[in-house]
Amino acid sequence: MSDLSIELTAPNGRKYTQPTGLFINNEWVKSSNGQKLTSINPTDESEIASVYAATAEDVDTAVAAARKAFNDPSWRDISPTDRGNMMIRLSDLVAKHAETLATIETWDNGKVYADSLGGDVAEVQGVLKYYGGYADKIHGQTIDVGPSKFAYTIKEPVGVCGQIIPWNYPLGMAAWKLGPALACGNTIVMKAAEQTPLSILYLANLIKEAGFPPGVVNILNGHGREAGAAIATHLGIDKVAFTGSTGTGKEIMKMAAVNMKNITLETGGKSPLLIFDDADMKQAVKWAHIGIMSNQGQICTATSRILVQESVLESFIEAFKKQVQEMSVVGDPFAETSFQGPQVTKAQYERVLGYIKTGKEEGATLISGGEAHTKATPSSKGFFVMPTVFAGVKPSMKIYREEVFGPFVVIASFKTEAEALEMANDTTYGLGSAVFTKDITRAHRIAKRIEAGMVWINSSNDSDYRIPFGGVKQSGIGRELGEAGLAGYSQIKAVHVNMTGE
Ligand code: NAI
Ligand code: MG
């Protein structure tokens, strides 16, 4: 087995065994043609490890395993309570291995270790337990239509689910998709993002240890256009769930049409954060910073457009600039002092720098940052960007309209509530939104009128796995998390019983 795992020592000194294979049928295998992909440490640009990358043939093998598991009595006929207990056991194993999982996540993705441990891994543990608790509380209905007919519904799993996840929260996004899918009794072929292939493989071993039968969860690494497309087009897959860019989401939608797959998509955003002149300015500044600068700005719901009422614009910009410069300490993600690590890849780093250049060319006013951060670590390597703030931004500018996905925020102003709403909704996206005001009737009025899947009143991005998450417009289809997350992974079967004997 030695060529299907390697012993690694992470930058924080933690030693662990890193699986490198494809996880199919609870076993580790190589890719059919031996191809691999290499994972890079974004902090110093060194290679961490190479792992096997699935071909379309490997996807086929994984789908066959998932189909067999779906129809196997060990999974199909298990009591929902036992199924839920298995998930809770997995949650406990995640807690037991939390430090190792968090270490891998920080090493491969570049996110700050305290966030990996207290945010991402804690979230995985919570989500799996939450949905484990739901497994035996998923019921149909009886419907009274009079004495001649007895009618009832059954909630059934959708079948074999393809799940394609991104790199910004590798373990977190895996858990958001595994939780409801397993609670409802589906089987899974999951593909991680090629930029962050490592932590998911460590999680796979815990899935086996928790007692899931072979084939219930299959985990593959692989390239989007190869393994991802093979999942989206596979005739043996009943549903595809995806988190990532809007462009790829549209492609997946088209591919999924081949056998009319059930789809859940969670895509991009350019979420507005509105600040009215009666807001608690200290809170607005604090949350506006958290809402865009956390996780290196690599958050689909990041509130990346700050809209401020004209009368408080200057004072907000001044206070926000101070907050960014004091709080956003850029450095080694394993260092306790760091708030911001490197961007996940060279491509993302260059993308953010590209938008910085565009912002300057478009004539926006640079308030803070505006360049690469070359002194974040002693090596001067790594994909570090200075947290960047542009003000004087016009709705016609590219930096106002397009998702940057980095520590990059634009500030524009409005005069009236009507104008604020108009500006907030002037986007093809509709994921998150935030509003700061002390006027409670205005807060709820805006919450109702804003075109977004989520509204934060007097906060930003304080998501919670018990509350539905998802977007409208081109930010996605369907909801993850909360009770609503179950809807994407179950179908309703209606049963009509003729009680008349005629
Ligand atoms: P992407 O959307 O291309 O990749 C996300 C996932 O989809 C990965 O697992 C990838 O392998 C897979 N994929 C890519 N092409 C595919 C295809 N043709 N068929 C099936 N699967 C495919 O995103 P990428 O290129 O990593 O990042 C580009 C931009 O996307 C970012 O700058 C950001 O704006 C956005 N993004 C948004 C995320 C979110 O949380 N909503 C997460 C990641 C990226
Ligand atoms: Mg990496």
Side-chain angles (χ1 to χ4, degrees):
M1 289 293 272
S2 65
D3 51 349
L4 287 165
S5 67
I6 46 170
E7 300 303 316
L8 291 179
T9 305
N12 63 352
R14 205 167 180 92
K15 292 185 192 323
Y16 76 100
T17 305
Q18 172 67 55
T20 56
L22 309 174
F23 185 73
I24 300 176
N25 228 5
N26 276 2
E27 279 165 24
W28 292 107
V29 296
K30 296 178 182 175
S31 52
S32 60
N33 64 0
Q35 70 181 6
K36 289 186 169 185
L37 56 86
T38 300
S39 136
I40 304 290
N41 173 2
T43 302
D44 65 6
E45 305 172 43
S46 63
E47 289 186 4
I48 303 175
S50 292
V51 301
Y52 285 99
T55 61
E57 191 183 328
D58 296 318
V59 169
D60 237 18
T61 310
V63 173
R67 179 61 61 189
K68 188 162 175 290
F70 186 70
N71 293 318
D72 194 284
S74 68
W75 183 246
R76 187 191 61 199
D77 301 337
I78 192 177
S79 100
T81 304
D82 290 345
R83 194 165 72 222
N85 286 340
M86 231 175 248
M87 297 176 66
I88 291 166
R89 210 149 51 232
L90 177 58
S91 165
D92 291 342
L93 284 168
V94 167
K96 194 174 145 200
H97 292 261
E99 277 95 354
T100 301
L101 287 165
T103 297
I104 305 171
E105 207 73 318
T106 291
W107 195 6
D108 201 7
N109 169 284
K111 63 175 69 199
V112 168
Y113 182 75
D115 291 347
S116 292
L117 187 64
D120 299 50
V121 177
E123 167 106 355
V124 175
Q125 190 196 336
V127 168
L128 291 170
K129 193 168 162 206
Y130 173 80
Y131 280 112
Y134 255 122
D136 59 4
K137 298 168 196 69
I138 298 167
H139 310 294
Q141 294 176 308
T142 58
I143 301 159
D144 187 357
V145 292
S148 62
K149 186 187 265 194
F150 171 54
Y152 63 99
T153 60
I154 309 171
K155 286 221 177 127
E156 296 188 331
V158 177
V160 175
C161 299
Q163 302 184 324
I164 300 173
I165 58 171
W167 43 259
N168 54 341
Y169 292 92
L171 288 170
M173 291 301 100
W176 284 22
K177 292 191 172 26
L178 289 170
L182 291 172
C184 294
N186 297 279
T187 60
I188 294 159
V189 176
M190 176 178 279
K191 190 194 86 62
E194 45 273 59
Q195 297 83 353
T196 51
L198 300 182
S199 56
I200 189 99
L201 299 180
Y202 194 88
L203 181 72
N205 272 336
L206 304 184
I207 290 171
K208 182 174 181 180
E209 191 180 339
F212 287 92
V216 170
V217 182
N218 304 279
I219 291 180
L220 312 176
N221 276 300
H223 294 284
R225 296 203 168 274
E226 186 174 11
I231 288 173
T233 53
H234 205 290
L235 298 176
I237 292 182
D238 304 296
K239 182 207 170 84
V240 62
F242 164 81
T243 300
S245 64
T246 294
T248 301
K250 288 179 184 177
E251 281 185 53
I252 286 179
M253 225 174 145
K254 275 191 216 148
M255 290 190 274
V258 66
N259 62 338
M260 218 178 267
K261 283 184 186 69
N262 172 320
I263 50 175
T264 306
L265 303 173
E266 202 259 284
T267 56
K270 190 78 177 175
S271 301
L273 181 145
L274 276 47
I275 301 173
F276 286 89
D277 60 6
D278 67 341
D280 178 333
M281 235 358 113
K282 229 176 125 195
Q283 288 298 310
V285 167
K286 182 186 109 179
W287 286 105
H289 173 258
I290 292 171
I292 180 63
M293 298 302 177
S294 307
N295 207 44
Q296 293 66 249
Q298 297 166 159
I299 312 178
C300 51
T301 47
T303 34
S304 52
R305 279 190 301 147
I306 301 177
L307 311 181
V308 189
Q309 197 153 24
E310 219 170 55
S311 50
V312 291
L313 179 66
E314 286 316 311
S315 57
F316 172 79
I317 290 175
E318 199 176 311
F320 186 67
K321 177 181 177 179
K322 190 160 170 274
Q323 181 81 356
V324 170
Q325 292 179 349
E326 280 175 16
M327 301 303 294
S328 279
V329 178
V330 183
D332 178 356
F334 281 107
E336 275 175 29
T337 46
S338 297
F339 176 89
Q340 182 185 316
Q343 304 311 118
V344 69
T345 56
K346 189 152 200 262
Q348 289 300 125
Y349 164 84
E350 284 170 351
R351 176 188 170 106
V352 180
L353 293 179
Y355 276 104
I356 288 174
K357 188 164 168 277
T358 302
K360 291 173 180 169
E361 285 165 5
E362 286 182 314
T365 311
L366 184 65
I367 300 294
S368 192
E371 56 192 351
H373 196 313
T374 49
K375 296 189 188 71
T377 63
S379 77
S380 305
K381 286 197 169 151
F383 310 131
F384 295 92
V385 177
M386 303 272 273
T388 295
V389 183
F390 277 106
V393 177
K394 304 269 176 307
S396 57
M397 292 180 183
K398 255 176 88 168
I399 59 166
Y400 181 88
R401 310 207 70 82
E402 296 180 10
E403 179 176 55
V404 176
F405 223 66
F408 181 107
V409 70
V410 299
I411 302 175
S413 66
F414 63 85
K415 288 195 180 71
T416 63
E417 182 181 320
E419 193 190 359
L421 263 169
E422 199 182 317
M423 287 173 74
N425 291 340
D426 174 25
T427 167
T428 55
Y429 295 116
L431 198 51
S433 62
V435 53
F436 284 81
T437 178
K438 283 193 193 130
D439 179 342
I440 57 164
T441 56
R442 169 156 63 196
H444 295 294
R445 194 161 59 229
I446 286 178
K448 192 145 166 44
R449 294 271 314 277
I450 211 155
E451 295 164 3
M454 293 160 281
V455 185
W456 288 285
I457 296 176
N458 294 329
S459 75
S460 175
N461 276 276
D462 57 340
S463 298
D464 185 312
Y465 55 77
R466 296 161 295 193
I467 305 174
F469 185 105
V472 300
K473 294 157 86 175
Q474 293 187 33
S475 288
I477 295 177
R479 291 291 175 272
E480 297 190 283
L481 301 182
E483 190 181 10
L486 297 167
Y489 287 97
S490 57
Q491 315 207 86
I492 295 175
K493 178 182 279 174
V495 183
H496 303 243
V497 186
N498 180 352
M499 302 296 279
T500 67
E502 288 170 10

